[in-house]
Structure formats: C-alpha cells, structure tokens
Amino acid sequence: MKKFMDKDFVLTNETAIKLYENYAKDMPIFDFHCHLPVEEIYNDRKFASITECWLGGDHYKWRLMREMGVDESYITGDKPDFEKFMKYAEVMPYAIGNPIFHWTHLELQRYFGISDILSPATAKDIFDKCNEKLQTLTARKLIKDSNVKKLFTTDDPIDDLHFHKLLKEDKSFDVEVYPAFRPDKAINIELPTYVPYIAKLADAADVRIDGIDGLCEALTKRIEYFDSVGCVCSDHALDVVMFKPCDKDKADKIVKKALAGDDLTPDEIKQYKGYILVHLGKQYARLHWVQQYHIGALRNNSRRYMGLLGPDTGFDAIEDSTFAEPLSMLLDTLDSTDELPKTILYCLNPRDNEVIATIMNCFQQGGIVGKIQFGSAWWFNDQKDGMQKQLTALSQLGLVSKFVGMLTDSRSFLSYTRHEYFRRILCDMFGTLIESGEYPADNIEFVGQIVKDICYNNAIQYFSK
C-alpha cells in the first residue's frame, strides 16, 4: 500500500517518476489565465488567517460545504474564522475521491510544511500553524515561492489598469504581471447590465456610443490602451456560442434597439454577438494577440442565492448545448480574410473534448506552431480524470507535444499547486505510454524536453508577439 501523497504521488511507474523529477518538477510557471486581483499583488496582501486565504473566495470549497449541509453563515457569512475553518475540516474526511482533498493537502505540504491530514481532530493545530506561517507568506511571496515567472490577470475593458502600471514600475517584484482583456459585458447584449455598461465604456474610451460605429471605436480604443500596458491576450466567456452572419447596417439597428431599451429577438442577439466577436478578433489579429474562448458554463443557477450572494459564488454548472457549427462559423469568418488570431479553445463539458480537438485543426496555419489550441481541462474538469481525458483527446487527435499547458483559473494565491498536480498527471501519462511499449524508451531526454515545453516553454513562445 502506498503512503498517502508521498513524493511519487500520482506517478505509477519508474519512467513517470524520472520524467517528473528530472524534467517537470522544477520548471517555472506561466499562469496565462487567472483571476488574482492585481491590486492585492501590488499591495502585497497579508492574510489575517488561513480561513481568509483558503475560504475567502473559493467556491470549489463552498460547494462541498453546502453539500454537507453547512449553514451559509459558516461559508460566506460572518462566523469567526476558526469556526468556519472547523466546518471545512469537518467536511474533509468525507471528500474521498474529490480533487479538493488533494489540493488541500498539497497546499498544506508545499506552503506550510504540514503533512497532517485535515480533520476535526487536527484542525486547531493546523489552523494555528498556518496562521503563524502566514505572518510571512504575503501575496507576492506566495507567487515567488511557487516559481511563477509570468501571469495574466483578468481585466474589464473599462479598467484604468492603474495597479498594472504601478507593478510595471516596481523593480522589487520581478514576476511579470500583465492584464488580459475580458469584454463579456459589452458582448452580452441580452442582459439588463448591458445598457449601463455601455455608458461606462463610452466614458472610459471617451467615445460617444449611439450605434455600432461608436461601440466598435470604443472597444478598439480600449484594446489599444491595454496593448500599451503590455496586454497580449483576451479572454471570453462564451457560455453558449452564438454566431449568425451580420452586416454593419443590421448590427447598427440592433445596438440602437438595445440602447433604447427594446427587447431583441434570438436571431438579433446571435447576429450582434457574431458581429462584435468578429470585430474583436480582427483587432486582436492586428495587434498579434491571443484570444481565449471559454465555452460551456451554465451560470447562476439558483435565483435565490444569486439575489443573496451575487454571481461567482458557487452556483454554476456545466452547460450541455452544442456549439460545433457556430464556433466553426466564427473561426471561419475570421480565417476567410486571414484575420484569425491565435486562439485557445476551452470546453467545460468533457463530452466536447473531441469536438474542440478536431475543430482546432481545421484552422491551423503554416509558420505558426499550434496556432489554434485545445486549452487545458477547465473548472469542473481540472482534476485527475478531467486532465487525463483532455490530454488523451488532444494526443489522439493532435500534437500534445505542442500544447501550451496548465493554468490556475483561480482567485487563490495558493492555487499554484494545481500546476504540480497537472505535471504529475502529464508525466504519468507519458511514462505509461513508454512503459507499455506504445512509445520508444530509448530517448528519454527527448520526451523530457516535450514535458518541459508543455510545462512552460510552449506558452512562453505562444504568447510572444
């Protein structure tokens, strides 16, 4: 029987161990999609307790606590920190098979040097030890200790990027931190937030928006502003991929109709989104950016909790609508004029892995290695089974060797252990192929270089202009 989470955790054979220890383990991290608050990085946030650091915004943990029947006052409410921590500790022994059990103990081991198993019996001792360690583990130190060399935050087009500019000038912190452009609020024309947001976008861009020309000018100006601060990447939450061909006159009428407060038809929503996504894609291509499409989230399912707690609080699920045709049409429209930027496609429904892996290879381009990428297992899939399925689909239908690798997609400064988790799973996959005779064993250094490339090098090359 193997010891729980020993040094060979997840690694099931000698070749996997060799690949991880000699090639993957010490590679730097490039986290090209996360939700870390840049203000907290700049101000080098210090956490009051492990509860604040662990449970303050982690809806993965919140969902398990709710399933256990824990009252919301111990999750997002105002109960004392230790009482919240104890409730989480009570859940842990029951989380057998859940990746949060692994993540929790990886974080305890890597950041706090604690090998004890979290439970009600150990909670007080772990709580005290973590809090003592957190006296010196600030936001920046957690990033540095994780061997992060570069990261992209997620930023709204109207953001002035004040803290990004300050960080750029701060020579005491040598991790590269850049914004990523997230224009969802300007795309989701069907939501009640659209009209108020467009007014804010107009102010930020100093452009009058009364139709499609003003809207596109404002978005272009904000893209160019982000570019001036070092941005090379956009990110889109395409929960449901909507695309229908639309000319400028029709798009103008739709925008004016929405700004007047009139309801739009389903076709008008699809036409508008298609027009704006094409416009944005052309701007990204012009500036040599990468665009990321996150596809398939069914958000804010509980209206009651949406009213009580707001969005992004753990009430999201996997969408099951199909998207192959509209996604292909969107990519093809940009490709038809040779204005398709580098693109990373993520799916939340693992059913769609092969859909993404086959669509991507319809739009590759000579001279650009892996121009269209099948992104890492995302959100509900960034666990062992989900990563294995994504890696298998990519390797069987494409070149996993040119994959840009893992990211955190997290608001937690402790989440960088997910890169270790991914690297172990990757090395075990390659090691198993070699040990089973499905790939030659005579050039381990070549495979090791592929591992290093997936861990870091491919992403660095991909996001370079």
Side-chain angles (χ1 to χ4, degrees), residues 134-269:
L134 281 171
Q135 297 303 306
T136 57
L137 279 181
T138 60
R140 292 192 186 190
K141 191 168 192 316
L142 286 167
I143 292 171
K144 291 282 290 182
D145 286 355
S146 302
N147 201 21
V148 179
K149 299 299 182 184
K150 191 169 186 176
L151 68 88
F152 295 162
T153 58
T154 303
D155 305 271
D156 193 282
I158 67 173
D159 198 308
D160 64 5
L161 305 181
H162 173 68
F163 289 101
H164 277 284
K165 291 178 178 179
L166 292 177
L167 264 178
K168 201 171 182 179
E169 297 168 358
D170 187 348
K171 305 306 179 186
S172 67
F173 187 59
D174 60 1
V175 177
E176 296 181 64
V177 181
Y178 296 105
F181 188 79
R182 180 77 172 241
D184 296 348
K185 293 176 183 177
I187 294 172
N188 293 330
I189 195 169
E190 75 279 17
L191 298 182
T193 52
Y194 177 79
V195 174
Y197 179 77
I198 293 302
K200 294 177 182 177
L201 177 63
D203 288 341
D206 194 22
V207 171
R208 177 180 172 83
I209 302 179
D210 55 7
I212 195 64
D213 282 337
L215 177 57
C216 288
E217 181 187 355
L219 287 169
T220 299
K221 286 184 69 173
R222 297 310 294 170
I223 289 170
E224 291 173 346
Y225 176 71
F226 270 59
D227 188 77
S228 73
V229 184
C231 181
V232 296
C233 180
S234 71
D235 179 65
H236 296 258
L238 300 186
D239 298 341
V240 177
V241 182
M242 294 185 183
F243 181 87
K244 196 164 186 177
C246 180
D247 61 30
K248 182 179 175 181
D249 288 342
K250 179 60 178 175
D252 189 56
K253 290 176 183 176
I254 295 170
V255 171
K256 287 176 176 173
K257 186 175 179 181
L259 293 177
D262 297 331
D263 292 334
L264 303 178
T265 67
D267 274 355
E268 287 173 329
I269 294 170

Side-chain angles (χ1 to χ4, degrees), residues 104-123:
T104 293
H105 291 96
L106 273 176
E107 290 169 11
L108 285 175
Q109 289 181 18
R110 299 297 178 262
Y111 295 111
F112 301 100
I114 297 172
S115 298
D116 296 335
I117 308 303
L118 181 61
S119 70
T122 61

